[in-house]
Amino acid sequence: RPTAATSNRCPAMSLPDVVYVVKAEGDNDELRYSLRTLQNIPHGKVWLVGHRPRWAVNVEHLPTRNHLPTKYQNSTANLLTACTHDDVADEVIYMNDDFFILRPLDRIPHLHMGPVENRVRYYDTKYERRVNGAGRYRDGMVQTADLLRSWGVADVLSYEVHAPMLIDRRKMAEAINRAAREARIVALHKRTLYGNLYRVGGELVKDVKVLTSTHTWGERQRFVSTSNQSWRSGSVGKRIRRLFAEPSAYERS
């Protein structure tokens, strides 16, 4: 069945495909509801790269067998799989399974959170350079920014907003492969790499990730992302499940 976002489109119109990088983890209820929110954006095919839950239908699947040391490396390998696959559209909406599109949009905007140095300070203050988790993520942020500066990008912006990103898959593949040749980065910040290398510009926003059980989203917000806690028992998870209660074309009835 066509989605509400695609049912009236002209066949000649070229729409971006949607690519989800999906970790191997059970039924993945967040992915189910994220797919339901695709009704809010015009799109072509939907690709699940990595794990495909049993309930998922009307999607393309690129299975991967990555057993790399970190989730960041596996995520990068999965995205590269999609970006080098000839059947994937040239233009792609890059999604995570915990991203949700809250209201109808004509096109996914480019979003950033300002200078990457500000994000580094945020993580240093919040997590105090933990060895695992945020520490590795923080160090990958610094390493990605240093690599971009070595390529001549003077003012590096953070594009790691927890929201969909519109990319050219071939350009993303080029960026990832170039980074792999020239640096050893513990957690490659792929959105930041792409956004700065290809100077996509965009809109300054605050991150839309909801980590706590009490917070939700603002009236005019376009996107939201959940954590395990906020999805399972938080206000934001309950609100998403209520607003997007109707099954989509991408799940078994």
Side-chain angles (χ1 to χ4, degrees):
R1 302 196 309 268
T3 67
T6 60
S7 58
N8 296 320
R9 74 174 187 263
C10 172
M13 184 184 298
S14 178
L15 294 172
D17 284 354
V18 181
V19 168
Y20 283 89
V21 173
V22 185
K23 58 184 177 293
E25 189 175 281
D27 282 343
N28 199 334
D29 210 32
E30 284 171 295
L31 175 62
R32 183 192 298 271
Y33 281 85
S34 179
L35 288 166
R36 291 181 185 184
T37 72
L38 293 183
Q39 65 183 276
N40 284 327
I41 189 71
H43 62 278
K45 294 180 181 178
V46 173
W47 297 81
L48 304 186
V49 189
H51 180 60
R52 176 181 178 174
R54 290 174 296 177
W55 51 260
V57 295
N58 298 323
V59 299
E60 305 294 330
H61 182 217
L62 297 176
T64 57
R65 296 184 178 276
N66 298 321
H67 300 289
L68 299 171
T70 72
K71 64 180 181 180
Y72 306 110
Q73 291 170 308
N74 283 307
S75 169
T76 299
N78 283 358
L79 179 59
L80 188 59
T81 296
C83 288
T84 54
H85 196 284
D86 288 341
D87 291 339
V88 177
D90 292 343
E91 193 172 48
V92 160
I93 300 170
Y94 173 28
M95 291 280 285
N96 285 9
D97 55 13
D98 57 2
F99 291 178
F100 306 92
I101 304 169
L102 299 174
R103 55 188 176 88
L105 300 170
D106 293 331
R107 190 171 174 84
I108 297 295
H110 287 302
L111 307 174
H112 66 81
M113 293 182 286
V116 72
E117 293 86 354
N118 294 347
R119 300 301 296 169
V120 174
R121 283 195 294 272
Y122 166 80
Y123 277 95
D124 282 349
T125 300
K126 183 173 182 179
Y127 295 103
E128 298 180 355
R129 295 297 313 281
R130 293 176 187 171
V131 174
N132 297 314
R136 184 178 287 138
Y137 181 84
R138 178 265 185 205
D139 290 344
M141 186 187 313
V142 172
Q143 292 168 354
T144 302
D146 286 345
L147 180 63
L148 284 162
R149 292 187 189 99
S150 77
W151 293 348
V153 179
D155 300 312
V156 180
L157 301 173
S158 174
Y159 284 88
E160 303 305 314
V161 182
H162 287 82
M165 186 176 193
L166 193 65
I167 63 171
D168 179 305
R169 68 170 177 88
R170 290 186 174 87
K171 288 182 177 180
M172 178 63 91
E174 290 171 2
I176 291 173
N177 286 326
R178 183 180 176 187
R181 289 193 302 269
E182 299 186 24
R184 298 187 65 178
I185 296 177
V186 295
L188 181 65
H189 284 230
K190 298 175 281 294
R191 293 174 175 85
T192 294
L193 184 76
Y194 181 93
N196 286 280
L197 181 61
Y198 300 112
R199 304 182 189 280
V200 302
E203 176 186 347
L204 174 64
V205 296
K206 294 181 179 179
D207 197 11
V208 298
K209 186 81 168 179
V210 176
L211 298 171
T212 68
S213 60
T214 56
H215 289 82
T216 180
W217 66 81
E219 182 180 353
R220 296 300 299 165
Q221 199 165 310
R222 294 162 290 185
F223 311 106
V224 74
S225 176
T226 53
S227 66
N228 288 337
Q229 177 185 357
S230 65
W231 173 253
R232 292 171 184 165
S233 60
S235 300
V236 66
K238 294 174 184 176
R239 190 175 176 189
I240 291 167
R241 289 189 288 273
R242 184 173 66 253
L243 287 176
F244 298 98
E246 290 297 318
S248 75
Y250 303 119
E251 58 192 284
R252 296 186 191 280
S253 302

